[in-house]
């Protein structure tokens, strides 16, 4: 039995078979156990002889099984390694890499510029109260200028912010002017009940800017906007300021940039004028300062709100704003700087 078993063990070629062999030989119903169990019936003299022989056989078998097991395991490992070996000279599979959304790239660009000029970046909630979105911006409930921003209301008091200007009010309220001027920008998404077309989307981006200090003038505003235009558009574009109206600034201006990508006929973007509006701005209205707890006799400043979507359209010659929101990778991956 021993010789045959040893041969069986050595000839076993896989691990589960080997386990079967082990159970058959050494398990509770195996021949060795049976012999040991049968010892009871033997005479006193025979017992130790049979016992030690049975033990010897068992040890021998166990050892052989273990040895075979490690041989098989080793062989298995070697086969696996061979199968999985990597040819480092083969060309790699290309890994598709994402890129920041083109509008996020514009926002990052503008943030960098303003951070460099000592501004802080502040974010605010997209679901706002009527109070911050309108009232604190000098737009009481029945003010006709509310129509300029057709708003998604959630309740009478809660709405999707239609502009990033409420972040102005929130930041001014908290700012400690004894510690120095307030210089901030606030990027984010805003919502309006506009019908989507080439230049309008019910969801778009704004970056609000605000500077409050003593002795701030319209000249500071103009210089800041020129720096911004230079940074984003270089010399390829002309910028013009037009007098305008916003309830929260007085005087107010709008900035237009030359609409290069489709001058003249058939232009969806600038509607034949050759200009596209990219920004509203002005000197902060005394009422806005007062409501935020800032003394308009001592402090003043300028604010602007610009549209990164339109900046992106101009910079890259995109003729339909809706492209930014369709999430078509073929469109978006064109703005992958890594190529
Ligand atoms: N919030 C204005 C808008 O959405 C833009 C603006 C901001 C104008 C700050 C002046 C000052 O139209």
């Amino acid at each position: 039995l021993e010789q045959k078993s040893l041969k069986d063990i050595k000839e076993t070629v896989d691990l589960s078979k080997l386990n079967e062999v082990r159970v058959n030989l050494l398990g509770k119903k195996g021949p060795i156990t049976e012999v040991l169990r049968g010892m009871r019936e033997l005479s006193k003299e025979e017992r130790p002889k049979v016992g030690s022989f049975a033990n010897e056989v068992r040890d021998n078998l166990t050892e052989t099984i273990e040895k075979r097991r490690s041989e098989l395991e080793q062989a298995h490992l070697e086969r696996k390694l061979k199968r999985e070996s990597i040819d480092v000279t083969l060309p790699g599979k290309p890994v598709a890499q994402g890129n920041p959304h083109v509008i996020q790239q514009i926002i990052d660009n503008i943030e960098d510029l303003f951070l460099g000029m000592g501004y802080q970046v502040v974010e605010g909630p997209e679901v706002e109260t009527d109070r911050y979105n309108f009232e604190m911006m000098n737009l009481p409930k029945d003010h006709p200028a509310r129509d300029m921003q057709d708003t998604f209301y959630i309740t009478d008091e809660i709405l999707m912010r239609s502009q990033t200007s409420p972040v102005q009010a929130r930041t001014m309220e908290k700012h400690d002017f004894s510690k120095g001027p307030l210089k901030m920008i606030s990027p984010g998404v805003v919502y309006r009940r506009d019908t989507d077309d080439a230049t309008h989307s019910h969801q778009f981006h704004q970056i609000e800017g605000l500077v409050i200090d003593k002795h701030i003038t319209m000249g500071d505003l103009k210089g800041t906007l020129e720096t911004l235009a230079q940074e984003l558009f270089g010399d390829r574009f002309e910028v013009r300021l037009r007098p305008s109206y916003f309830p929260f600034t007085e005087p107010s201006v709008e900035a237009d940039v030359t609409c290069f990508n489709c001058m003249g006929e058939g232009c969806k973007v600038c509607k034949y004028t050759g200009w596209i509006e990219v920004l509203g701005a002005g000197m902060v209205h005394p009422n806005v300062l007062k409501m935020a707890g800032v003394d308009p006799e001592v402090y003043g400043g300028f604010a602007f709100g610009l549209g990164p979507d339109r900046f992106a359209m101009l910079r890259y010659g995109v003729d339909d704003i809706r492209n930014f929101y369709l999430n078509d990778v073929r469109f978006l991956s064109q703005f992958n700087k890594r190529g």
Side-chain angles (χ1 to χ4, degrees):
L1 176 76
E2 188 184 3
Q3 288 316 313
K4 168 157 191 322
S5 302
L6 288 174
K7 190 165 165 271
D8 280 352
I9 292 168
K10 285 183 187 141
E11 280 170 3
T12 310
V13 288
D14 80 62
L15 283 163
S16 64
K17 279 272 160 46
L18 184 67
N19 198 39
E20 239 169 68
V21 172
R22 186 183 60 82
V23 172
N24 285 341
L25 285 173
L26 304 173
K28 278 193 192 125
K29 289 181 186 141
I32 309 270
T33 317
E34 209 168 290
V35 170
L36 291 171
R37 209 182 280 136
M39 296 246 287
R40 242 178 284 146
E41 281 134 49
L42 297 176
S43 66
K44 262 199 186 129
E45 297 79 51
E46 277 174 317
R47 260 184 225 171
K49 279 193 220 141
V50 173
S52 73
F53 180 65
N55 280 335
E56 206 179 287
V57 172
R58 189 186 55 195
D59 292 349
N60 194 8
L61 290 177
T62 309
E63 199 182 303
T64 312
I65 289 172
E66 284 313 311
K67 208 168 128 221
R68 186 67 189 151
R69 187 205 303 282
S70 67
E71 277 168 17
L72 288 175
E73 276 170 358
Q74 183 65 27
H76 177 71
L77 184 67
E78 264 161 31
R79 251 179 290 132
K80 193 168 165 200
L81 284 176
K82 203 160 182 190
R83 201 171 351 111
E84 289 176 2
S85 70
I86 294 169
D87 181 351
V88 292
T89 63
L90 286 175
K93 288 189 195 137
V95 178
Q97 264 195 25
N99 56 284
H101 192 284
V102 53
I103 292 179
Q104 189 58 46
Q105 292 180 28
I106 299 264
I107 292 174
D108 290 346
N109 197 184
I110 296 174
E111 279 186 12
D112 282 349
L113 172 71
F114 281 98
L115 284 168
M117 297 196 288
Y119 286 57
Q120 51 171 321
V121 179
V122 187
E123 290 192 359
E126 286 174 30
V127 179
E128 257 296 1
T129 57
D130 186 274
R131 188 169 117 81
Y132 280 106
N133 195 75
F134 286 130
E135 289 189 37
M136 299 275 285
M137 287 291 115
N138 200 28
L139 275 146
K141 279 264 153 63
D142 50 3
H143 198 291
R146 283 196 179 207
D147 295 347
M148 288 164 73
Q149 302 182 5
D150 222 345
T151 306
F152 288 112
Y153 276 90
I154 296 172
T155 69
D156 282 353
E157 290 301 321
I158 299 174
L159 45 78
M160 300 306 289
R161 68 175 176 194
S162 60
Q163 48 183 353
T164 41
S165 303
V167 189
Q168 276 191 34
R170 288 178 176 277
T171 314
M172 262 191 284
E173 267 184 341
K174 280 190 234 137
H175 189 75
D176 178 357
F177 284 91
S178 70
K179 299 232 167 79
L182 169 60
K183 295 164 85 177
M184 59 159 279
I185 57 165
S186 166
V189 181
V190 301
Y191 303 85
R192 287 188 198 175
R193 275 175 43 221
D194 272 330
T195 305
D196 292 2
D197 64 20
T199 47
H200 295 86
S201 167
H202 60 280
Q203 166 197 321
F204 59 102
H205 293 75
Q206 273 193 347
I207 298 180
E208 187 82 7
L210 177 69
V211 171
I212 304 283
D213 198 0
K214 296 169 183 166
H215 320 298
I216 299 284
T217 70
M218 193 109 180
D220 297 315
L221 171 62
K222 190 155 181 265
T224 306
L225 297 181
E226 274 164 6
T227 308
L228 172 72
Q230 182 67 33
E231 161 77 13
L232 283 179
F233 302 122
D235 295 323
R236 287 189 299 153
F237 300 90
E238 269 179 73
V239 181
R240 73 173 183 193
L241 292 182
R242 282 181 286 117
S244 183
Y245 170 77
F246 296 104
F248 26 86
T249 46
E250 181 58 40
S252 304
V253 293
E254 273 176 309
D256 301 332
V257 174
T258 41
C259 179
F260 84 104
N261 48 324
C262 49
M263 296 274 193
E265 267 176 55
C267 174
K268 284 189 281 179
V269 177
C270 50
K271 315 231 170 57
Y272 310 104
T273 63
W275 298 91
I276 182 171
E277 181 203 330
V278 292
L279 171 153
M283 305 309 288
V284 180
H285 197 289
N287 286 349
V288 172
L289 294 170
K290 249 186 267 170
M291 279 186 277
V294 181
D295 183 355
E297 299 292 328
V298 184
Y299 292 100
F302 64 77
F304 58 85
L306 59 87
D309 304 68
R310 288 188 172 178
F311 279 43
M313 292 172 82
L314 281 170
R315 189 193 258 184
Y316 298 113
V318 174
D319 65 5
D320 196 321
I321 193 173
R322 288 168 290 194
N323 285 322
F324 296 132
Y325 298 99
L326 292 176
N327 281 337
D328 185 332
V329 180
R330 289 168 303 180
F331 172 77
L332 295 175
S333 62
Q334 296 178 93
F335 307 98
N336 189 344
K337 286 190 196 129
R338 286 184 289 263

